[in-house]
Amino acid sequence: MRKGYLHIRGGRPLEGTVEASGSKNAALPIMAASLLADSAVRLRRVPRLADVGNLVAVLRCLGMDVGREGDAIQIAPRDTAPFQAGYTHVRRMRASFCVLGPLLARRGRAVVALPGGCRIGPRPVDLHLKGLAALGADLSIRNGNVVARSARLRGAKIDLAGSAGSTVTGTANVMSAATLARGTTTILHAAQEPEIVDLGRFLNRLGADIEGLGSSTVTIRGVDQLGGAAYRVTADRIEAATLLLAAAISGGRVSVEKVVPGDLRAVFERLDQAGMELTIGADRVSLLAERLPRPLRITATPYPGFPTDLQAQFTALLCLARGQSRVADAVFPQRFLHLAELRRLGAEVAAGAAGAVVRGPCRLSGAPVAATDLRAGAALVLAGLAAEGKTVVHGVNHLERGYERLDRKLAALGADIVRKDRAARWIPNGPP
Ligand code: UD1
C-alpha cells in the first residue's frame, strides 16, 4: 500500500462543480454478492479505492475471474470453487466478511476469518451469525475463522435488531444468502440504508425475488439459481456530503453532480439548520456558504437518520460556529478518535459521556495531524481547508480506502492541496 500524506494550505473558498463517485458501501456487498451468480456480472461506477482492490483480491482467492477497467469490474465464476477467505484480507477490511453469506449459499461451505477489533469501537458480528444460523447454517468458530456449512439454506423469519438498531453488512449477508434458500425469508429490523436498497436491486437484477427494500421488513422468496447481469452502482452519498461540507467549511459555492438527493435528506436538514444555502435538483445539489455556520446538536442514528459516517466531518464544520455544538453517535458511541487530532489544529472540542462538545468559534491553525480512520481523515482534511497556514495530514492510506481521488477533486475546486508520497529509498545499482 502506498504511504502518503497531504499538504493543505487553508483559507481558499472552494468553487465549482464536481461529480460524486460510485458508493463504496454499496459496491462492496454487491461485489461479494456476485459470488451467487452462475455467470458473469458486469458492474459500472465502481469507485477506484483500496477497499475495492482488497475485495477483488478476496474474490480471486475464492476462485472468481475478476477483470477491471476504469470504473468497470467484471466478475465471473471459474470451475474451481474454494471457500476460504483468510485473515490477511479480513484484517485489512472488515467488509470482506460480506462474502460469508453468498459463499455459504452458493457453495454450501464457507470459512471466513472473524473480524477483530476496530478503531471506531466494538463491531461484533453476532447478528450476521444469528441470521445465517436461522437459515439453517451450521456455524462454529475455529482457529479465528467462522466455519459455516449447510445443505440448501431454508427460509426463516429473522429479527436483526441489535442494541444500536439494525446492522448494515449483517442485513447484506443474510439478504444475499436468503436469495438461494428454499422458501421465504422475512428480515425484521432490516437496515434501510440506500446501500442495502442498491444491493437488493442488484440481486433482483440477477433474478432474485426481494420485496420491501428501504423498509424495515424485507421479504426474500428463494430461487433456485441466479444468473449474470450488468449493474451500475449508486452514488456515494457520504462522499457527496463530504464535498458539500468542504464548500461549507471553506466559505465557498460548490455543486455536486450525479447524486441521489433523496438519500441525503437528514444531511440537508442539518446543513440548512447550520445556515447553509442549498439548491437541490434531480441529481445535483449546490451549496452556498454565505455565512459562518450556526451551532447544532447532532446525533448519528441509522438511516434515515443522520449518518455516523459523517459525524466527524460535521464536527470539523461546527468548529467554525459561534457557540456550543454537541455531536453524539448512537451507532458507534466511541467513534471520537478524531477529536484529539482536531485539537492539534486548534479546535476546542472535548469528548464527554454523550459524545463531542464543540466550543466555537475556534481559530484553526495548520499543524501536522494523523488520520486514525477513514472518516476521521476526511474531518482533518476539511479542518485543514479552513485552518490558517499549512496542515499536513498523515495516514492518507485511510482516506484512500474510501474516497476516490479526494485530493484531486478538492484541488479542481480550487483547494491548495497536494498529495505527496513518502520519498522512495535510493538503492545503489538497483534496477532502473
Ligand atoms: C456499515 C458501513 C459503515 C457504517 C456502518 C453504520 C459498510 C461496508 N460499512 O458498517 O461505513 O459506519 O454500517 O452505518 O457498509 N452490531 C452488533 N452486532 C452485529 C453487527 C453490528 O451489535 O452483528 C452493532 C455495531 O456494533 C454497531 C451497529 O450494530 O453499533 C451498527 O453496525 P453495522 O450496521 O453492522 O455496521 P457495519 O455493517 O459494520
Side-chain angles (χ1 to χ4, degrees), residues 266-267 270-271 273-274 295-301 306-307 310-311 314-315 317-318 325-330 336 354-356:
V267 178
R270 300 309 185 287
L271 285 170
Q273 287 164 2
L296 290 182
R297 277 170 181 256
I298 298 178
T299 300
T301 53
F306 181 86
L310 285 170
Q311 58 94 340
F314 249 82
T315 305
L317 174 68
L318 293 174
S325 297
R326 284 180 183 272
V327 181
D329 194 327
F336 287 99

Side-chain angles (χ1 to χ4, degrees), residues 25 122-128 164 167-169 308-309 331-332 335:
N25 285 355
R123 293 177 80 176
V125 290
D126 55 306
L127 296 168
H128 300 232
T167 162
V168 177
T169 48
T308 170
D309 285 349
V331 181
F332 294 116
R335 191 177 198 176

